[in-house]
Amino acid sequence: MNAAKRLEIFRRLHEDNPDPKTELAYNTPFELLIAVILSAQATDVSVNKATARLYPVANTPQAIYALGVDGLSQYIKTIGLYNSKAKNVIETCRMLVELHGGEVPQTREALEALPGVGRKTANVVLNTAFRQLAMAVDTHIFRVSNRTGIAPGKNVVEVEHRLMKFVPKDYLLDAHHWLILHGRYVCVARKPRCGSCRIEDLCEYKEKTSYD
Ligand code: SF4
């Protein structure tokens, strides 16, 4: 895909949604960090339901750590893998208090040292909470990047590096959200909705069909 096409794709995505947001509910970097840890292999809706109960009671590392694994589990047991997530969150809270003064660190290295925080989660926090240029590639972004030809790659790290290189600079900060939302609601996994897609004429997907 050439640069002019990429520019036009992001121009349209921006035009349709000038201020894209994550669908996870949060008010602070810490709340976002915990929500992203909880969202692994779970829907944002299920995470939001759990954090809507949890955060009014405990929304700081100190307060969640005080709940302990069993106490935290009571709030998140509707989420898949809640047991291991509870352990990771409690350990993360302990490290935030002991190593970072109760604050969420703003570097990839420090974030990835926290239990339950991998490259993707670190990128979401850096980009969404701290507005740094970082690209979290999830299953939706991986699919959209490959199908469209915006940034094809064999694995998520390859796609991440190509997106960082190829997405026009003016759109890089919000590209993560546009691509996730496009993959979640339009370029869906099984039957992409090419017939109602804003970028159909620019997309290089070879098997385009309209299901709308
Ligand atoms: S045209 Fe189809 S395959 Fe291409 S981005 Fe749109 S929905 Fe996805």
Side-chain angles (χ1 to χ4, degrees), residues 21-189:
K21 299 264 191 282
T22 176
E23 294 185 316
L24 287 170
Y26 74 100
N27 288 304
T28 64
F30 175 72
E31 288 189 0
L32 177 66
L33 171 66
I34 300 306
V36 181
I37 292 174
L38 296 177
S39 74
Q41 296 176 54
T43 64
D44 288 358
V45 172
S46 69
V47 172
N48 289 342
K49 279 186 187 161
T51 56
R53 294 189 297 269
L54 172 65
Y55 288 161
V57 177
N59 70 341
T60 63
Q62 294 85 347
I64 290 184
Y65 183 70
L67 291 175
V69 172
D70 291 343
L72 175 59
S73 295
Q74 297 308 309
Y75 291 95
I76 65 169
K77 62 187 175 189
T78 50
I79 301 174
L81 308 175
Y82 78 90
N83 207 22
S84 60
K85 287 176 182 175
K87 288 178 186 153
N88 282 337
V89 168
I90 292 299
E91 181 61 8
T92 284
C93 290
R94 185 189 68 74
M95 289 177 67
L96 291 179
V97 171
E98 291 184 2
L99 303 176
H100 302 288
E103 300 291 327
V104 178
Q106 301 193 25
T107 66
R108 169 189 307 289
E109 189 184 23
L111 283 166
E112 287 190 18
L114 300 169
V117 179
R119 186 177 184 88
K120 187 180 75 178
T121 298
N123 280 333
V124 172
V125 173
L126 291 173
N127 179 248
T128 305
F130 299 127
R131 302 303 280 158
Q132 294 184 25
L133 293 178
M135 188 68 65
V137 178
D138 72 347
T139 181
H140 299 299
I141 295 186
F142 184 76
R143 183 176 65 253
V144 172
S145 298
N146 274 291
R147 274 183 181 165
T148 56
I150 291 172
K154 291 188 292 296
N155 54 57
V156 291
V157 174
E158 200 169 285
V159 168
E160 177 188 325
H161 288 147
R162 291 192 175 160
L163 284 169
M164 291 298 290
K165 186 171 168 191
F166 293 141
V167 173
K169 292 285 168 283
D170 287 351
Y171 298 109
L172 200 47
L173 205 50
D174 287 322
H176 164 78
H177 295 310
W178 285 316
L179 293 173
I180 278 195
L181 294 170
H182 195 68
R184 203 173 265 172
Y185 297 111
V186 184
C187 194
V188 294

